[in-house]
Coordinates of all heavy atoms in Angstrom, one line a residue:
M259 N -20.9 4.9 61.3 CA -22.0 4.2 61.9 C -21.7 3.6 63.3 O -20.8 2.8 63.5 CB -22.3 3.0 60.9 CG -23.3 3.4 59.8 SD -25.0 3.9 60.3 CE -25.7 2.3 60.5
P260 N -22.5 4.0 64.3 CA -22.5 3.3 65.5 C -22.8 1.9 65.5 O -23.5 1.4 64.5 CB -23.4 4.2 66.4 CG -24.5 4.6 65.5 CD -23.7 4.9 64.1
D261 N -22.2 1.1 66.4 CA -22.6 -0.4 66.4 C -23.9 -0.6 67.2 O -24.5 -1.6 67.1 CB -21.5 -1.1 66.9 CG -20.2 -1.0 65.9 OD1 -20.4 -1.3 64.8 OD2 -19.1 -0.8 66.5
L262 N -24.0 0.2 68.3 CA -25.0 0.0 69.3 C -25.4 1.4 69.9 O -24.6 2.4 69.8 CB -24.4 -0.9 70.5 CG -24.0 -2.3 70.4 CD1 -23.1 -2.6 71.3 CD2 -25.3 -3.1 70.2
Y263 N -26.5 1.4 70.5 CA -26.9 2.6 71.3 C -26.6 2.3 72.8 O -26.8 1.2 73.3 CB -28.3 3.0 71.2 CG -28.6 3.4 69.8 CD1 -29.2 2.5 68.9 CD2 -28.2 4.5 69.2 CE1 -29.5 2.8 67.5 CE2 -28.5 4.9 67.9 CZ -29.0 4.0 67.2 OH -29.2 4.4 65.8
L264 N -26.0 3.3 73.4 CA -25.7 3.1 74.9 C -26.8 2.6 75.7 O -26.6 1.6 76.6 CB -25.0 4.4 75.6 CG -24.3 4.3 76.8 CD1 -23.2 3.4 76.7 CD2 -23.9 5.7 77.2
D265 N -28.0 3.0 75.5 CA -29.2 2.6 76.3 C -29.6 1.2 75.9 O -30.5 0.6 76.6 CB -30.3 3.5 76.2 CG -30.8 4.0 74.9 OD1 -30.5 3.2 73.9 OD2 -31.4 5.1 74.8
Q266 N -29.0 0.5 74.9 CA -29.3 -1.0 74.6 C -28.5 -1.8 75.7 O -28.8 -3.0 75.7 CB -28.7 -1.3 73.2 CG -29.7 -0.9 72.1 CD -29.0 -1.5 70.8 OE1 -28.2 -0.7 70.2 NE2 -29.2 -2.7 70.4
L267 N -27.5 -1.2 76.2 CA -26.5 -2.0 77.0 C -26.9 -1.7 78.5 O -26.9 -0.6 79.0 CB -25.1 -1.5 76.8 CG -24.5 -1.7 75.5 CD1 -23.2 -1.1 75.2 CD2 -24.2 -3.4 75.3
E268 N -27.2 -2.9 79.2 CA -27.6 -2.8 80.6 C -26.4 -3.0 81.3 O -25.6 -4.1 81.0 CB -28.6 -3.8 80.9 CG -29.3 -3.6 82.1 CD -30.3 -4.8 82.3 OE1 -31.2 -4.9 81.3 OE2 -30.4 -5.4 83.4
S269 N -26.0 -2.2 82.3 CA -24.8 -2.5 83.0 C -24.7 -3.9 83.6 O -25.6 -4.3 84.2 CB -24.7 -1.4 84.2 OG -23.4 -1.4 84.7
G270 N -23.5 -4.5 83.3 CA -23.3 -5.8 83.7 C -23.9 -6.9 83.0 O -23.9 -8.2 83.3
R271 N -24.6 -6.6 81.8 CA -25.2 -7.7 80.9 C -24.5 -7.6 79.6 O -25.0 -6.8 78.7 CB -26.7 -7.4 80.8 CG -27.4 -7.4 82.1 CD -28.6 -8.5 82.2 NE -28.9 -9.5 81.3 CZ -30.1 -9.6 80.9 NH1 -31.1 -9.0 81.5 NH2 -30.4 -10.6 80.1
P272 N -23.7 -8.4 79.3 CA -22.9 -8.5 78.1 C -23.9 -8.7 76.8 O -24.8 -9.4 77.1 CB -21.9 -9.7 78.1 CG -22.1 -10.1 79.6 CD -23.4 -9.8 80.1
L273 N -23.4 -8.3 75.6 CA -24.1 -8.4 74.5 C -23.1 -8.9 73.4 O -22.0 -8.4 73.4 CB -24.7 -7.0 74.1 CG -26.0 -6.9 73.3 CD1 -27.2 -7.2 74.3 CD2 -26.2 -5.6 72.8
K274 N -23.7 -9.7 72.5 CA -22.8 -10.2 71.5 C -23.0 -9.4 70.3 O -24.0 -9.0 69.8 CB -23.2 -11.6 71.1 CG -22.3 -12.4 70.2 CD -22.8 -13.7 69.5 CE -22.7 -14.7 70.7 NZ -23.0 -16.1 70.1
L275 N -21.8 -9.0 69.6 CA -22.0 -8.1 68.4 C -21.0 -8.7 67.3 O -20.0 -9.2 67.6 CB -21.2 -6.8 68.8 CG -21.0 -5.7 67.7 CD1 -22.3 -5.0 67.2 CD2 -20.0 -4.6 68.0
E276 N -21.7 -8.7 66.1 CA -20.9 -9.3 64.9 C -20.5 -8.1 64.2 O -21.3 -7.3 63.9 CB -21.9 -10.1 64.0 CG -22.5 -11.3 64.7 CD -21.7 -12.4 64.9 OE1 -20.5 -12.6 64.3 OE2 -22.1 -13.4 65.7
K277 N -19.2 -7.9 64.0 CA -18.6 -6.8 63.2 C -17.4 -7.2 62.4 O -16.5 -7.8 63.0 CB -18.2 -5.7 64.1 CG -17.8 -4.4 63.4 CD -17.7 -3.2 64.3 CE -17.1 -2.1 63.5 NZ -17.1 -0.8 64.2
D278 N -17.3 -6.8 61.2 CA -16.2 -7.2 60.3 C -15.6 -8.7 60.5 O -14.5 -8.8 60.5 CB -15.0 -6.2 60.7 CG -15.4 -4.7 60.2 OD1 -16.4 -4.5 59.7 OD2 -14.6 -3.8 60.6
G279 N -16.6 -9.5 60.5 CA -16.2 -10.9 60.6 C -15.8 -11.4 62.0 O -15.3 -12.6 62.2
K280 N -15.8 -10.5 63.0 CA -15.5 -10.9 64.2 C -16.7 -10.9 65.2 O -17.7 -10.3 64.9 CB -14.5 -9.8 64.8 CG -13.1 -9.8 64.2 CD -12.2 -8.9 64.8 CE -10.9 -8.7 64.2 NZ -10.1 -10.0 64.3
T281 N -16.6 -11.8 66.2 CA -17.7 -12.0 67.2 C -17.1 -11.3 68.4 O -16.2 -11.8 69.0 CB -18.2 -13.4 67.3 OG1 -18.6 -13.8 66.0 CG2 -19.4 -13.4 68.3
I282 N -17.8 -10.4 68.9 CA -17.3 -9.5 70.0 C -18.3 -9.5 71.1 O -19.4 -9.3 71.0 CB -16.9 -8.0 69.5 CG1 -15.8 -8.2 68.4 CG2 -16.5 -7.2 70.7 CD1 -15.6 -7.0 67.6
C283 N -17.7 -9.5 72.4 CA -18.6 -9.4 73.5 C -18.5 -8.0 74.1 O -17.4 -7.4 74.3 CB -18.1 -10.4 74.6 SG -18.7 -10.4 76.2
V284 N -19.6 -7.4 74.1 CA -19.6 -5.9 74.6 C -20.3 -5.7 75.9 O -21.4 -6.3 76.0 CB -20.4 -5.1 73.5 CG1 -20.3 -3.5 73.8 CG2 -19.7 -5.3 72.2
T285 N -19.6 -5.1 76.8 CA -20.2 -5.1 78.2 C -20.1 -3.7 78.7 O -19.1 -3.0 78.5 CB -19.4 -6.0 79.1 OG1 -19.4 -7.3 78.6 CG2 -20.0 -6.0 80.5
R286 N -21.2 -3.2 79.3 CA -21.3 -1.9 79.8 C -21.0 -2.0 81.4 O -21.8 -2.9 81.9 CB -22.5 -1.2 79.5 CG -22.7 0.1 80.3 CD -24.1 0.8 79.9 NE -24.2 2.1 80.6 CZ -25.2 2.7 80.4 NH1 -26.1 2.5 79.5 NH2 -25.2 4.0 80.9
I287 N -20.2 -1.4 81.9 CA -20.1 -1.3 83.4 C -20.1 0.1 83.9 O -19.2 0.9 83.6 CB -18.7 -1.9 83.9 CG1 -18.8 -3.5 83.5 CG2 -18.8 -1.9 85.3 CD1 -17.6 -4.2 83.9
G288 N -21.3 0.6 84.5 CA -21.4 1.9 84.7 C -21.5 2.8 83.5 O -22.2 2.6 82.6
H289 N -20.5 3.7 83.5 CA -20.3 4.7 82.3 C -19.3 4.2 81.3 O -19.1 4.9 80.3 CB -19.9 6.1 82.7 CG -21.1 6.7 83.6 ND1 -22.4 6.9 83.1 CD2 -21.1 7.0 84.8 CE1 -23.2 7.3 84.1 NE2 -22.4 7.4 85.2
E290 N -18.7 3.0 81.5 CA -17.7 2.5 80.6 C -18.2 1.3 79.8 O -19.0 0.6 80.3 CB -16.4 2.1 81.3 CG -15.7 3.1 82.2 CD -14.5 2.7 82.8 OE1 -14.6 2.2 84.0 OE2 -13.4 2.7 82.3
V291 N -17.6 1.2 78.6 CA -18.1 0.0 77.7 C -16.9 -0.6 77.3 O -15.8 0.0 76.9 CB -18.9 0.6 76.7 CG1 -19.3 -0.7 75.8 CG2 -20.1 1.2 77.1
F292 N -16.8 -2.0 77.5 CA -15.6 -2.7 77.0 C -16.0 -3.8 76.0 O -17.1 -4.3 75.8 CB -15.1 -3.6 78.2 CG -14.7 -2.6 79.5 CD1 -15.7 -2.4 80.4 CD2 -13.5 -2.1 79.5 CE1 -15.3 -1.5 81.5 CE2 -13.2 -1.2 80.6 CZ -14.1 -1.0 81.6
A293 N -15.0 -4.0 75.1 CA -15.1 -5.0 74.1 C -14.0 -5.9 74.0 O -12.9 -5.6 74.1 CB -15.2 -4.2 72.7
I294 N -14.4 -7.2 73.9 CA -13.4 -8.4 74.1 C -13.8 -9.3 73.1 O -15.0 -9.5 72.8 CB -13.3 -8.8 75.5 CG1 -12.1 -9.8 75.7 CG2 -14.6 -9.4 76.0 CD1 -11.9 -10.1 77.2
D295 N -13.0 -10.2 72.7 CA -13.4 -11.3 71.7 C -14.4 -12.2 72.5 O -14.2 -12.4 73.6 CB -12.1 -12.1 71.3 CG -11.5 -11.6 70.1 OD1 -12.1 -10.9 69.3 OD2 -10.3 -12.0 69.9
D296 N -15.4 -12.7 71.6 CA -16.4 -13.4 72.4 C -16.2 -14.7 72.6 O -16.8 -15.3 73.5 CB -17.8 -13.3 71.5 CG -19.0 -13.8 72.3 OD1 -19.3 -13.2 73.2 OD2 -19.5 -14.8 71.7
T297 N -15.3 -15.3 71.9 CA -15.1 -16.8 72.0 C -13.9 -17.1 73.1 O -12.7 -16.5 73.0 CB -14.6 -17.5 70.8 OG1 -15.6 -17.2 69.7 CG2 -14.5 -19.0 70.8
C298 N -14.2 -17.8 74.0 CA -13.2 -18.1 75.2 C -12.0 -18.8 74.5 O -12.1 -19.6 73.6 CB -13.9 -19.2 76.2 SG -12.9 -19.7 77.6
S299 N -10.9 -18.5 75.1 CA -9.6 -19.0 74.5 C -9.3 -20.5 75.0 O -8.4 -21.1 74.6 CB -8.5 -18.1 74.9 OG -8.2 -18.0 76.4
H300 N -10.3 -21.0 75.9 CA -10.2 -22.3 76.4 C -10.7 -23.3 75.4 O -10.3 -24.3 75.2 CB -10.7 -22.4 77.8 CG -10.6 -23.9 78.4 ND1 -11.7 -24.6 78.7 CD2 -9.5 -24.6 78.5 CE1 -11.3 -25.8 79.1 NE2 -10.0 -25.9 79.1
S301 N -11.9 -22.9 75.0 CA -12.7 -23.8 74.1 C -13.8 -23.0 73.4 O -13.7 -21.7 73.4 CB -13.3 -25.1 74.8 OG -13.8 -25.9 74.0
E302 N -14.7 -23.6 72.8 CA -15.7 -22.8 72.0 C -16.9 -22.4 72.7 O -18.0 -23.0 72.5 CB -16.1 -23.7 70.8 CG -15.1 -23.9 69.7 CD -14.8 -22.8 68.9 OE1 -15.8 -22.0 68.5 OE2 -13.6 -22.5 68.8
A303 N -16.7 -21.5 73.7 CA -17.8 -21.0 74.5 C -18.0 -19.5 74.2 O -17.1 -18.8 74.1 CB -17.7 -21.3 76.0
S304 N -19.2 -19.0 74.3 CA -19.5 -17.7 74.0 C -19.5 -16.8 75.3 O -20.3 -17.2 76.2 CB -20.9 -17.4 73.3 OG -21.3 -16.1 73.3
L305 N -18.6 -16.0 75.4 CA -18.4 -15.3 76.7 C -19.6 -14.3 77.0 O -19.9 -14.0 78.1 CB -17.1 -14.4 76.7 CG -15.9 -15.3 76.8 CD1 -14.7 -14.3 76.8 CD2 -15.9 -16.0 78.1
S306 N -20.2 -14.0 76.0 CA -21.4 -13.0 76.2 C -22.5 -13.7 76.9 O -23.4 -13.0 77.4 CB -21.9 -12.3 74.9 OG -22.2 -13.4 74.0
E307 N -22.4 -14.9 77.1 CA -23.4 -15.7 78.0 C -22.8 -15.9 79.4 O -23.5 -16.6 80.2 CB -23.7 -17.1 77.3 CG -24.4 -16.9 76.1 CD -24.5 -18.3 75.2 OE1 -24.7 -19.4 75.8 OE2 -24.5 -18.1 73.9
G308 N -21.8 -15.3 79.6 CA -21.2 -15.5 81.0 C -21.5 -14.4 81.9 O -22.4 -13.6 81.7
E309 N -21.0 -14.4 83.2 CA -21.3 -13.5 84.2 C -20.3 -12.5 84.3 O -19.1 -12.8 84.2 CB -21.4 -14.3 85.5 CG -22.5 -15.4 85.7 CD -23.8 -14.7 85.9 OE1 -23.9 -13.8 86.7 OE2 -24.7 -15.1 85.3
I310 N -20.6 -11.3 84.8 CA -19.7 -10.2 85.0 C -19.5 -10.2 86.6 O -20.4 -10.2 87.4 CB -20.2 -9.0 84.5 CG1 -20.6 -8.9 83.0 CG2 -19.3 -7.8 85.0 CD1 -19.4 -9.1 82.2
V311 N -18.1 -10.1 87.0 CA -17.8 -10.0 88.4 C -16.8 -8.9 88.3 O -15.6 -9.1 87.8 CB -17.2 -11.2 89.0 CG1 -17.0 -11.1 90.5 CG2 -18.2 -12.5 88.6
D312 N -16.9 -7.8 89.1 CA -16.2 -6.6 89.0 C -15.9 -6.3 87.4 O -16.8 -6.1 86.7 CB -14.9 -6.8 89.7 CG -15.2 -7.2 91.2 OD1 -16.1 -6.5 91.7 OD2 -14.5 -8.0 91.8
F313 N -14.6 -6.2 87.1 CA -14.2 -6.0 85.6 C -13.9 -7.2 84.9 O -13.1 -7.2 84.0 CB -13.1 -4.9 85.6 CG -13.6 -3.5 85.9 CD1 -13.6 -2.9 87.2 CD2 -14.2 -2.7 84.9 CE1 -14.0 -1.7 87.5 CE2 -14.7 -1.4 85.1 CZ -14.6 -0.9 86.4
K314 N -14.4 -8.3 85.3 CA -14.0 -9.5 84.7 C -15.3 -10.3 84.2 O -16.4 -10.0 84.8 CB -13.5 -10.6 85.8 CG -12.1 -10.1 86.2 CD -11.6 -11.0 87.3 CE -12.4 -10.9 88.6 NZ -11.9 -11.6 89.7
I315 N -15.2 -11.1 83.2 CA -16.2 -11.9 82.7 C -15.8 -13.3 82.9 O -14.6 -13.8 82.6 CB -16.5 -11.5 81.1 CG1 -17.8 -12.3 80.8 CG2 -15.4 -11.8 80.2 CD1 -18.5 -11.6 79.6
Q316 N -16.8 -14.0 83.3 CA -16.6 -15.4 83.7 C -17.1 -16.3 82.7 O -18.5 -16.2 82.3 CB -17.1 -15.9 85.0 CG -16.8 -17.3 85.5 CD -17.3 -17.7 87.0 OE1 -18.5 -17.3 87.2 NE2 -16.3 -18.1 87.5
C317 N -16.4 -17.3 82.0 CA -16.9 -18.1 81.1 C -17.9 -19.1 81.7 O -17.6 -19.7 82.7 CB -15.7 -18.8 80.4 SG -16.3 -20.1 79.1
W318 N -19.1 -19.2 81.0 CA -20.2 -20.1 81.7 C -19.8 -21.6 81.5 O -20.3 -22.4 82.3 CB -21.5 -19.9 81.0 CG -21.5 -20.2 79.5 CD1 -21.1 -19.3 78.4 CD2 -21.7 -21.4 78.9 NE1 -21.1 -19.9 77.3 CE2 -21.6 -21.3 77.5 CE3 -22.1 -22.7 79.3 CZ2 -21.7 -22.2 76.5 CZ3 -22.2 -23.7 78.4 CH2 -22.0 -23.4 77.0
L319 N -18.8 -22.0 80.7 CA -18.7 -23.5 80.5 C -17.7 -24.0 81.5 O -18.1 -24.9 82.2 CB -18.0 -23.6 79.1 CG -18.1 -25.0 78.6 CD1 -19.4 -25.7 78.7 CD2 -17.7 -25.1 77.1
H320 N -16.6 -23.5 81.7 CA -15.6 -24.1 82.8 C -15.1 -23.0 83.9 O -14.3 -23.3 84.6 CB -14.4 -24.8 82.2 CG -14.8 -25.7 81.1 ND1 -14.4 -25.4 79.7 CD2 -15.4 -26.9 81.1 CE1 -14.9 -26.6 79.0 NE2 -15.5 -27.3 79.8
G321 N -15.6 -21.9 83.8 CA -15.4 -20.9 84.8 C -14.1 -20.0 84.7 O -13.8 -19.3 85.5
A322 N -13.4 -20.0 83.5 CA -12.3 -19.1 83.4 C -12.7 -17.7 83.4 O -13.9 -17.3 82.9 CB -11.7 -19.4 82.0
E323 N -11.9 -16.8 84.0 CA -12.3 -15.5 84.0 C -11.3 -14.5 83.1 O -10.1 -14.8 83.1 CB -12.3 -14.9 85.4 CG -13.3 -15.5 86.3 CD -13.3 -15.0 87.6 OE1 -12.2 -15.2 88.4 OE2 -14.2 -14.5 88.2
F324 N -11.7 -13.6 82.5 CA -10.9 -12.6 81.7 C -11.2 -11.3 82.2 O -12.4 -10.9 82.4 CB -11.3 -12.8 80.2 CG -11.0 -14.1 79.6 CD1 -12.1 -15.2 79.7 CD2 -9.8 -14.5 79.0 CE1 -11.9 -16.4 79.1 CE2 -9.7 -15.6 78.5 CZ -10.6 -16.7 78.6
D325 N -10.1 -10.5 82.3 CA -10.2 -9.0 82.6 C -10.8 -8.3 81.3 O -10.2 -8.3 80.3 CB -8.9 -8.6 83.0 CG -8.9 -7.2 83.6 OD1 -9.7 -6.2 83.1 OD2 -8.3 -6.9 84.6
L326 N -11.8 -7.7 81.5 CA -12.4 -7.0 80.4 C -11.6 -5.7 79.8 O -11.7 -5.4 78.8 CB -13.8 -6.4 80.7 CG -14.9 -7.4 81.1 CD1 -16.2 -6.8 81.6 CD2 -15.4 -8.1 79.6
R327 N -10.8 -5.2 80.7 CA -9.9 -4.0 80.4 C -8.7 -4.4 79.5 O -8.3 -3.7 78.7 CB -9.6 -3.4 81.7 CG -10.8 -2.8 82.5 CD -10.4 -2.4 83.8 NE -10.0 -3.6 84.6 CZ -9.8 -3.7 85.9 NH1 -9.9 -2.5 86.7 NH2 -9.5 -4.8 86.6
T328 N -8.2 -5.7 79.8 CA -6.9 -6.0 79.1 C -7.0 -7.2 78.3 O -6.1 -7.6 77.5 CB -5.8 -6.3 80.3 OG1 -6.2 -7.3 81.1 CG2 -5.6 -5.0 81.1
G329 N -8.1 -8.1 78.6 CA -8.3 -9.3 77.8 C -7.5 -10.4 78.6 O -7.6 -11.6 78.1
E330 N -6.7 -10.0 79.6 CA -5.9 -11.1 80.2 C -6.8 -12.3 80.9 O -7.9 -12.0 81.4 CB -5.1 -10.5 81.4 CG -4.2 -11.3 82.1 CD -3.5 -10.7 83.4 OE1 -3.8 -9.5 83.7 OE2 -2.8 -11.5 84.1
A331 N -6.3 -13.5 80.6 CA -7.0 -14.7 81.3 C -6.4 -14.6 82.7 O -5.3 -15.0 83.0 CB -6.6 -15.9 80.6
V332 N -7.4 -14.4 83.6 CA -7.0 -14.3 85.1 C -7.2 -15.5 85.9 O -6.8 -15.6 87.0 CB -7.5 -13.1 85.8 CG1 -6.9 -11.8 85.3 CG2 -9.0 -13.0 85.6
T333 N -8.1 -16.4 85.3 CA -8.4 -17.7 86.1 C -8.3 -18.9 85.2 O -8.9 -18.8 84.1 CB -9.9 -17.6 86.7 OG1 -9.9 -16.3 87.4 CG2 -10.2 -18.8 87.7
L334 N -7.8 -19.9 85.6 CA -7.7 -21.2 84.8 C -9.1 -21.7 84.6 O -10.0 -21.4 85.6 CB -6.9 -22.2 85.5 CG -5.4 -21.8 85.6 CD1 -4.6 -22.8 86.4 CD2 -4.7 -21.8 84.1
P335 N -9.4 -22.6 83.7 CA -8.5 -23.3 82.8 C -8.0 -22.5 81.6 O -7.2 -23.0 80.9 CB -9.3 -24.5 82.4 CG -10.7 -24.0 82.4 CD -10.9 -23.0 83.6
A336 N -8.4 -21.2 81.4 CA -7.9 -20.5 80.3 C -6.6 -19.8 80.7 O -6.4 -19.4 81.8 CB -8.9 -19.4 79.8
N337 N -5.7 -19.9 79.8 CA -4.4 -19.2 80.1 C -4.0 -18.3 78.8 O -2.8 -17.9 78.9 CB -3.3 -20.2 80.6 CG -3.1 -21.2 79.6 OD1 -3.5 -21.2 78.4 ND2 -2.4 -22.3 80.0
I338 N -4.8 -18.3 77.9 CA -4.4 -17.3 76.8 C -5.3 -16.1 76.7 O -6.5 -16.2 76.9 CB -4.4 -18.1 75.5 CG1 -3.6 -19.4 75.4 CG2 -4.3 -17.2 74.2 CD1 -3.9 -20.3 74.2
A339 N -4.7 -14.9 76.7 CA -5.4 -13.6 76.6 C -6.2 -13.5 75.4 O -5.9 -14.1 74.4 CB -4.4 -12.5 76.7
L340 N -7.2 -12.7 75.5 CA -8.2 -12.4 74.4 C -8.0 -11.0 74.0 O -7.4 -10.2 74.7 CB -9.6 -12.6 74.8 CG -10.1 -14.0 75.2 CD1 -11.6 -13.9 75.8 CD2 -10.1 -14.9 73.9
A341 N -8.2 -10.8 72.6 CA -8.1 -9.4 72.1 C -9.1 -8.5 72.7 O -10.3 -9.0 72.9 CB -8.2 -9.4 70.6
T342 N -8.7 -7.3 72.9 CA -9.7 -6.3 73.5 C -9.8 -5.1 72.2 O -8.8 -5.1 71.5 CB -9.4 -5.7 74.7 OG1 -8.2 -5.0 74.6 CG2 -9.5 -6.7 75.8
Y343 N -10.8 -4.4 72.3 CA -11.0 -3.4 71.2 C -11.4 -2.2 71.8 O -12.2 -2.1 72.8 CB -12.1 -3.8 70.2 CG -11.8 -5.2 69.7 CD1 -12.3 -6.3 70.2 CD2 -11.0 -5.3 68.5 CE1 -11.9 -7.5 69.6 CE2 -10.7 -6.5 67.9 CZ -11.1 -7.7 68.5 OH -10.9 -8.9 68.1
P344 N -10.8 -0.9 71.3 CA -11.2 0.3 71.8 C -12.7 0.6 71.5 O -13.2 0.2 70.5 CB -10.4 1.3 71.0 CG -9.3 0.5 70.3 CD -9.8 -1.0 70.3
V345 N -13.4 1.3 72.4 CA -14.7 1.6 72.3 C -15.0 3.1 72.3 O -14.4 3.7 73.3 CB -15.6 1.0 73.5 CG1 -17.1 1.3 73.3 CG2 -15.4 -0.5 73.3
K346 N -15.6 3.6 71.3 CA -15.9 5.1 71.3 C -17.4 5.4 71.8 O -18.3 4.7 71.2 CB -15.6 5.6 70.0 CG -15.2 7.0 69.9 CD -14.4 7.5 68.8 CE -15.3 7.6 67.5 NZ -14.6 7.8 66.3
I347 N -17.5 6.2 72.7 CA -18.8 6.6 73.1 C -19.2 8.0 72.8 O -18.3 8.9 73.2 CB -19.1 6.3 74.6 CG1 -18.8 4.8 75.0 CG2 -20.6 6.6 74.9 CD1 -18.8 4.5 76.4
Q348 N -20.1 8.3 72.0 CA -20.4 9.8 71.7 C -21.9 9.8 72.0 O -22.8 9.3 71.3 CB -20.2 10.1 70.2 CG -18.7 10.2 69.9 CD -18.4 10.4 68.5 OE1 -18.9 9.6 67.7 NE2 -17.6 11.3 68.1
A349 N -22.3 10.6 73.1 CA -23.6 10.7 73.4 C -24.2 9.3 73.7 O -23.6 8.4 74.4 CB -24.5 11.6 72.5
N350 N -25.2 9.0 72.9 CA -25.8 7.6 72.9 C -25.3 6.6 72.0 O -25.8 5.4 71.9 CB -27.3 7.8 72.9 CG -28.1 6.4 73.3 OD1 -27.7 5.8 74.3 ND2 -29.1 6.2 72.6
L351 N -24.2 6.9 71.3 CA -23.7 6.0 70.2 C -22.5 5.3 70.7 O -21.5 6.0 71.1 CB -23.5 6.9 69.0 CG -24.6 7.8 68.6 CD1 -24.2 8.6 67.2 CD2 -25.8 7.1 68.2
V352 N -22.4 4.1 70.4 CA -21.2 3.3 70.9 C -20.7 2.6 69.6 O -21.4 2.0 68.8 CB -21.7 2.1 71.8 CG1 -20.6 1.1 72.2 CG2 -22.4 2.7 73.0
T353 N -19.4 2.8 69.4 CA -18.7 2.3 68.3 C -17.5 1.4 68.8 O -16.7 1.9 69.5 CB -18.3 3.3 67.2 OG1 -19.3 4.2 66.9 CG2 -17.6 2.8 66.1
V354 N -17.4 0.1 68.3 CA -16.3 -0.7 68.7 C -15.3 -0.5 67.5 O -15.7 -0.7 66.3 CB -16.7 -2.1 68.9 CG1 -15.5 -3.0 69.1 CG2 -17.7 -2.3 70.0
E355 N -14.0 -0.2 67.8 CA -13.1 0.1 66.7 C -12.3 -1.2 66.5 O -11.5 -1.6 67.4 CB -12.3 1.4 67.1 CG -13.1 2.6 67.2 CD -12.3 3.8 67.6 OE1 -11.2 3.7 68.3 OE2 -12.7 4.8 67.2
I356 N -12.3 -1.7 65.4 CA -11.6 -2.9 65.0 C -10.4 -2.7 64.1 O -10.5 -1.9 63.1 CB -12.5 -3.9 64.3 CG1 -13.6 -4.3 65.4 CG2 -11.7 -5.1 63.9 CD1 -14.6 -5.4 64.8
Ligands
FES108 S1 -14.6 -22.9 77.3 FE1 -14.3 -21.1 78.7 S2 -13.4 -22.1 80.4 FE2 -13.7 -23.7 79.1

């Protein structure tokens, strides 16, 4: 079962996905789709409400940035990496592999 359809994802506009008890932020950038834990590692903010800059997502609450490709916290105040998940794209179907 796919989780999303590719055409539901607008490039640079993150979407929140609930799957297997996890809350995941899914972001399309061009032809690629990235999945990262949705909750900021600094506090309880939802990253899917944040801004995309290049391949990073910026937390709306205090401005920490995470690399969507690796989960690395690249800007303070967050300093703990987030989990990322492989994403499979088949035609218009997008599956986040947990
Ligand atoms: S909650 Fe995300 S930077 Fe503070």
Side-chain angles (χ1 to χ4, degrees):
M259 269 298 273
D261 298 310
L262 294 161
Y263 295 103
L264 192 59
D265 55 18
Q266 277 179 274
L267 291 166
E268 196 180 312
S269 193
R271 298 242 0 225
L273 213 71
K274 187 189 288 191
L275 172 74
E276 306 280 348
K277 182 172 182 179
D278 295 351
K280 293 185 184 291
T281 307
I282 297 166
C283 171
V284 181
T285 307
R286 175 179 182 176
I287 298 178
H289 297 297
E290 293 182 276
V291 178
F292 301 94
I294 188 168
D295 272 340
D296 188 63
T297 305
C298 182
S299 62
H300 178 240
S301 193
E302 291 289 313
S304 172
L305 288 179
S306 53
E307 293 167 36
E309 293 285 321
I310 301 296
V311 183
D312 300 325
F313 284 91
K314 293 175 291 183
I315 189 160
Q316 183 177 49
C317 179
W318 59 272
L319 195 50
H320 308 112
E323 291 178 306
F324 297 88
D325 191 313
L326 291 169
R327 299 164 293 191
T328 62
E330 185 189 354
V332 289
T333 308
L334 293 172
N337 56 14
I338 299 169
L340 294 173
T342 58
Y343 304 90
V345 177
K346 203 156 79 184
I347 304 172
Q348 288 172 307
N350 193 33
L351 310 178
V352 178
T353 306
V354 177
E355 299 182 327
I356 294 181

